């Protein structure tokens, strides 16, 4: 990416849908709601009567990247290796994805889109980054010890926001598994300018829904606390993509963190009691 090599970029899951024989894939993204690319999944719906019956029209003003969502699939059994999750609704992202012919249905791991935060409501997400495994459970198994527990807040679509402190001021950042590249990225120029950083700067060009934006990065040279982790000497980035200011419980949301801070850990994100737990 822009001349820089990143070993980890995103998380992808392999799964089946109901009785359909194909094994699909999707990005796992806690910063988004679930959606399938309309053209791709429609290729399969047309050849599967049971799936066709689960196709619904969407009323109201539901949008994905400023495109109105007109349809979705309801009550899908998503079958992972040893876990089945009932997904009440998956939106169809309009006019996106490859159209497949019936002769191409056996293509390995057809990419459908994104599985997101709606999959996790009132569940516990356990992610073992070292072994590259995850599961969705009702409780943390007794053989795992909680080493550390940090409270977070949820927004109205179930996204996780973690506390961060800059120069004595409290903010939130979103925990986004859709990104493994950045330890800390902000969209707020005032925040970016207000943190003491190394004079060495790098620039990346990053895509968001097909549009590219410049991202600047530099090493933090002062104490910045995400939960109880000091991010001094970590890279901080600034994304030039315009984003409206958001507030939760009176505190401003200033950016996101991704998988990068946890790649050597096992975590349990408890959507029942709003805590992020470091396990051992």
């Amino acid at each position: 990416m822009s001349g820089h090599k990143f070993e980890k970029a995103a998380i992808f899951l392999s799964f089946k849908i109901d009785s359909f024989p194909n094994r699909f894939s999707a990005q796992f993204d806690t910063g988004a709601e679930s959606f399938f690319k309309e053209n791709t999944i429609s290729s399969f719906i047309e050849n599967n009567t049971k799936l066709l019956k689960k196709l619904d029209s969407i009323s109201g003003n539901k949008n994905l990247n400023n495109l109105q969502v007109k349809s979705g699939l309801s009550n899908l059994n998503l079958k992972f290796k040893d876990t089945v999750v009932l997904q009440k609704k998956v939106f169809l992202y309009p006019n996106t994805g490859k159209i497949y012919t019936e002769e191409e249905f056996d293509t390995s791991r057809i990419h459908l889109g994104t599985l997101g935060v709606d999959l996790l409501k009132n569940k516990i997400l356990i992610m073992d980054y070292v072994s590259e495994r995850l599961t969705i459970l009702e409780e943390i198994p007794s053989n795992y010890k909680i080493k550390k527990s940090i409270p977070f807040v949820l927004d109205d679509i179930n996204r996780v926001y973690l506390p961060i402190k800059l120069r004595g001021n409290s903010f939130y950042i979103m925990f986004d598994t859709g990104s493994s590249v950045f330890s800390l990225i902000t969209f707020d120029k005032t925040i970016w300018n207000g943190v003491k950083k190394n004079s060495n700067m790098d620039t990346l060009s990053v895509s968001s829904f097909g549009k590219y934006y410049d991202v600047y990065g530099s090493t933090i040279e002062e104490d910045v606390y995400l939960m109880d982790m000091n991010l001094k000497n970590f890279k901080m980035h600034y994304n030039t993509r315009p984003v409206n200011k958001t507030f939760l419980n009176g505190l401003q949301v200033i950016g996101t963190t991704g998988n990068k801070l946890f790649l050597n850990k096992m975590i349990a994100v408890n959507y029942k009691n709003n805590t992020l737990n470091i396990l051992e």
Side-chain angles (χ1 to χ4, degrees):
M1 184 186 299
S2 299
H4 297 264
K5 182 178 180 180
F6 299 95
E7 295 295 336
K8 308 286 184 181
I11 294 174
F12 289 87
L13 303 178
S14 181
F15 63 98
K16 291 185 177 182
I17 299 175
D18 291 343
S19 59
F20 211 84
N22 284 80
R23 184 164 290 279
F24 300 102
S25 78
Q27 184 178 4
F28 179 61
D29 187 353
T30 57
E33 294 179 276
S34 299
F35 65 83
F36 291 159
K37 296 180 178 182
E38 183 179 53
N39 294 340
T40 304
I41 192 63
S42 294
S43 305
F44 295 89
I45 292 173
E46 292 171 0
N47 291 275
N48 188 285
T49 305
K50 291 181 180 179
L51 209 55
L52 181 62
K53 290 179 180 178
K54 296 187 175 186
L55 184 64
D56 296 324
S57 59
I58 302 294
S59 58
N61 190 27
K62 183 64 184 178
N63 290 280
L64 283 172
N65 197 31
N66 297 320
L67 294 176
Q68 185 176 359
V69 176
K70 298 180 179 179
S71 57
L73 287 165
S74 298
N75 299 319
L76 298 179
N77 290 296
L78 304 181
K79 300 179 180 181
F80 303 94
K81 183 177 180 181
D82 55 4
T83 303
V84 178
V85 177
L86 175 64
Q87 179 69 341
K88 291 184 178 180
K89 180 74 70 177
V90 177
F91 299 113
L92 302 191
Y93 189 0
N95 305 316
T96 55
K98 176 184 174 181
I99 298 173
Y100 285 83
T101 65
E102 194 169 358
E103 290 73 27
E104 296 176 300
F105 280 6
D106 290 333
T107 303
S108 177
R109 287 171 58 89
I110 293 169
H111 181 69
L112 283 186
T114 292
L115 295 177
V117 288
D118 39 306
L119 204 69
L120 306 167
K121 286 183 178 178
N122 297 316
K123 302 291 184 182
I124 297 175
L125 167 68
I126 298 179
M127 302 182 70
D128 182 349
Y129 282 99
V130 177
S131 299
E132 297 186 356
R133 302 181 303 165
L134 67 80
T135 189
I136 299 169
L137 300 174
E138 294 294 334
E139 60 184 24
I140 299 174
S142 58
N143 57 313
Y144 290 108
K145 180 183 177 183
I146 297 177
K147 185 179 178 180
K148 191 179 298 181
S149 184
I150 301 107
F152 58 73
V153 298
L154 293 171
D155 67 9
D156 57 353
I157 64 168
N158 211 44
R159 290 177 296 198
V160 167
Y161 293 82
L162 302 169
I164 188 169
K165 188 163 286 189
L166 309 172
R167 296 191 169 184
N169 297 311
S170 297
F171 303 95
Y172 284 123
I173 58 172
M174 183 172 67
F175 173 58
D176 182 9
T177 61
S179 172
S180 298
V181 174
F182 307 112
S183 300
L184 172 62
I185 184 167
T186 182
F187 304 96
D188 191 301
K189 194 171 185 178
T190 302
I191 297 294
W192 167 253
N193 289 335
V195 175
K196 184 180 179 182
K197 300 176 295 296
N198 189 285
S199 58
N200 294 325
M201 195 81 62
D202 57 40
T203 305
L204 302 173
S205 182
V206 175
S207 172
S208 176
F209 288 97
K211 294 182 180 180
Y212 284 83
Y213 301 91
D214 285 336
V215 174
Y216 304 105
S218 185
T219 302
I220 299 169
E221 292 189 336
E222 64 175 290
D223 294 335
V224 174
Y225 285 95
L226 171 58
M227 302 173 292
D228 64 346
M229 291 186 288
N230 192 344
L231 301 188
K232 186 177 182 179
N233 298 322
F234 281 77
K235 269 286 188 71
M236 181 179 183
H237 289 81
Y238 168 62
N239 193 339
T240 58
R241 178 168 69 92
V243 174
N244 293 329
K245 284 190 176 182
T246 303
F247 293 84
L248 291 171
N249 299 335
L251 296 181
Q252 184 183 345
V253 177
I254 62 167
T256 64
T257 186
N259 303 305
K260 191 169 184 178
L261 288 180
F262 304 100
L263 291 177
N264 63 345
K265 295 178 174 60
M266 182 187 298
I267 67 171
V269 186
N270 191 329
Y271 288 84
K272 295 182 176 186
N273 68 7
N274 294 10
T275 58
L276 188 149
N277 306 280
I278 309 297
L279 303 181
E280 61 179 20

